[in-house]
Amino acid sequence: MTDVADRATAGFRREFGAPPAGQWAAPGRVNLIGEHTDYNDGFVLPFALPLRTVAAADRQEGARWTVWSELSGETIDFGADEVDEPGRVAGWGAYVAGVVWALREAGHDVPGARLAITSDVPLGAGLSSSAALEAAVLTALVDLGGLDLPAERQPRLAQRAENHYVGAPTGIMDQSASIRCRDGHALFLDCRSEGVEHIPFDLRGAGLAMLVVDSHAPHRHADGEYAARRKSCEAGAERLGVPALRDVTVDQLDTALARLDDPETRRRVRHVVTEDQRVLDTVALLRAGRVREIGPLLTASHVSMRDDFEITVPEIDTAVEAALAAGALGARMTGGGFGGCVLALVEADAADPVADAVTAAYAEQGFRAPDHLTVLPSPGAVRLT
Ligand code: GAF
């Protein structure tokens, strides 16, 4: 298969009969640690994948957007009327229309455009294919229109597109990762201040590899369960009289938990508070160059997601257990949960045996065979040509 960027340009030429003015690429992500902490104003540590979505694009007259997607094979076309009424553009087009909507809402003079979109970020695998699409379109429109919107303000806008146009109540992590990550680094993001620190994450230098296992577990009720987790966290914060769970530290946790009557809320709060601390501990180890030692934190994060936040599924737990049994230094589910991918930190020469062990465990359980790849921290959104 040709490169994703070449396919975008070829698609643009075929659909629109001319070369594009440029190509913009935005990656999917994995989250190293810090799950469901973003909408609690807490900390996350994602890194960008080498898998990307590319928008080949050019301006067109008037307030019209014409978009071809390789994946669906369709071309959709919408104008300002459809954009201004969230819900009128549905399916994958909602992510594109949502970005146009959010830009217009923020007062930007969004140029009409033609876009051809290709991607090698798998859909529904929890690797942020939605954020990659939003970020590719957003960066293309910002550049084509010469809009005054620096990169640090772009994630909030893309998140608004997803929350208000698409209707998914997500936090700011995925859009931040796709837009702000740097090659060779993990992105330490404070989701309250939106301040970032790029943390060197040199897997190769440490003789390690990061295995990503796509569980292929169907996303069971993922949207409703995500929203329910978010509600529980907000209820917990309100009961504790803090603006967000970020404001509870691990030292205060026992006292805080004693004030909560509902056992489920207690579990949700415990996950978020301890997860924020695990992010801080992981960052401290990475800053000190002690990459190998982050393994137990990854595994502890998984246990907390499994037992306290209750967002894992049998395929995911099987992958984590099999990876650890085969010698992974740490393993955890990454992303929103109820399916998606597992990360396993492994010695560089152990990636294949660990992947084989997960595949064997799946066969034993009668699960569909997982996919796997090894990844290195890659660049965030960028104009290619
Ligand atoms: C999904 C959401 F989009 C993110 O905002 C984040 O909450 C994540 O789940 C869980 O950490 O990817």
Side-chain angles (χ1 to χ4, degrees):
M1 196 189 275
T2 48
D3 173 76
V4 62
D6 294 343
R7 299 198 316 265
T9 294
F12 191 98
R13 281 179 184 273
R14 202 176 45 244
E15 289 302 302
F16 306 122
Q23 294 170 314
W24 290 260
R29 63 95 190 95
V30 287
N31 187 19
L32 184 57
I33 197 161
E35 225 63 82
H36 287 261
T37 45
D38 60 353
Y39 56 79
N40 288 300
D41 277 3
F43 306 106
V44 294
L45 192 62
F47 65 86
L49 292 172
L51 306 172
R52 309 189 289 182
T53 294
V54 174
D58 199 359
R59 292 182 71 128
Q60 73 175 340
E61 281 302 306
R64 280 219 85 70
W65 295 272
T66 311
V67 195
W68 170 79
S69 145
E70 177 187 54
L71 207 71
S72 76
E74 303 167 88
T75 300
I76 58 167
D77 180 74
F78 52 86
D81 286 354
E82 286 105 317
V83 166
D84 291 345
E85 237 181 86
R88 279 190 64 186
V89 182
W92 62 270
Y95 295 92
V96 183
V99 167
V100 176
W101 170 82
L103 280 167
R104 284 167 64 88
E105 269 256 315
H108 295 284
D109 184 11
V110 188
R114 299 185 299 196
L115 302 108
I117 292 170
T118 55
S119 184
D120 50 22
V121 186
L123 294 190
L127 299 179
S128 287
S129 57
S130 324
L133 173 55
E134 290 154 2
V137 170
L138 178 60
T139 47
L141 293 175
V142 165
D143 278 358
L144 285 174
L147 309 182
D148 178 19
L149 188 65
E152 59 273 19
R153 284 181 22 225
Q154 292 176 10
R156 193 58 83 188
L157 198 132
Q159 184 204 7
R160 264 183 72 69
E162 182 138 356
N163 291 173
H164 297 281
Y165 201 97
V166 178
T170 56
I172 200 174
M173 170 171 72
D174 301 347
Q175 293 80 6
S176 301
S178 189
I179 293 167
R180 303 183 74 182
C181 275
R182 283 200 193 148
D183 201 13
H185 293 74
L187 183 81
F188 175 35
L189 171 69
D190 176 336
C191 298
R192 174 171 278 165
S193 69
E194 291 175 47
V196 302
E197 184 183 337
H198 298 278
I199 308 290
F201 187 38
D202 184 7
L203 285 162
R204 265 204 193 124
L208 298 172
M210 187 62 77
L211 180 68
V212 177
V213 179
D214 182 350
S215 72
H216 291 314
H219 277 242
R220 302 174 187 97
H221 314 300
D223 291 353
E225 294 286 356
Y226 184 96
R229 295 303 179 282
R230 196 169 172 156
K231 273 218 171 75
S232 287
C233 292
E234 283 159 7
E238 198 181 323
R239 183 79 188 79
L240 294 170
V242 291
L245 292 182
R246 143 62 173 286
D247 297 300
V248 182
T249 65
V250 276
D251 294 340
Q252 300 162 339
L253 184 58
D254 286 346
T255 317
L257 294 180
R259 290 177 56 202
L260 299 169
D261 322 313
D262 174 38
E264 185 180 285
T265 311
R266 273 207 296 273
R267 291 197 299 277
R268 306 299 186 246
V269 168
R270 185 165 54 203
H271 165 72
V272 173
V273 172
T274 57
E275 185 77 348
D276 269 333
Q277 186 60 47
R278 282 186 287 270
V279 176
L280 299 175
D281 293 346
T282 303
V283 167
L285 286 172
L286 292 182
R287 278 197 193 114
R290 294 160 60 187
V291 184
R292 194 170 253 96
E293 291 170 55
I294 70 172
L297 290 165
L298 305 185
T299 306
S301 165
H302 185 78
V303 169
S304 178
M305 289 191 287
R306 186 191 64 200
D307 298 347
D308 277 347
F309 222 59
E310 297 173 282
I311 54 172
T312 69
V313 293
E315 290 89 335
I316 289 284
D317 292 332
T318 298
V320 167
E321 281 155 28
L324 292 171
L329 302 170
R332 65 182 289 275
M333 184 184 73
T334 185
F338 308 99
C341 286
V342 161
L343 292 181
L345 181 69
V346 296
E347 300 292 348
D349 58 3
D352 287 341
V354 170
D356 291 346
V358 175
T359 303
Y362 266 47
E364 208 167 287
Q365 301 279 334
F367 298 148
R368 181 183 156 196
D371 277 332
H372 44 79
L373 69 159
T374 52
V375 296
L376 289 172
S378 301
V382 65
R383 181 172 187 161
L384 298 174
T385 56

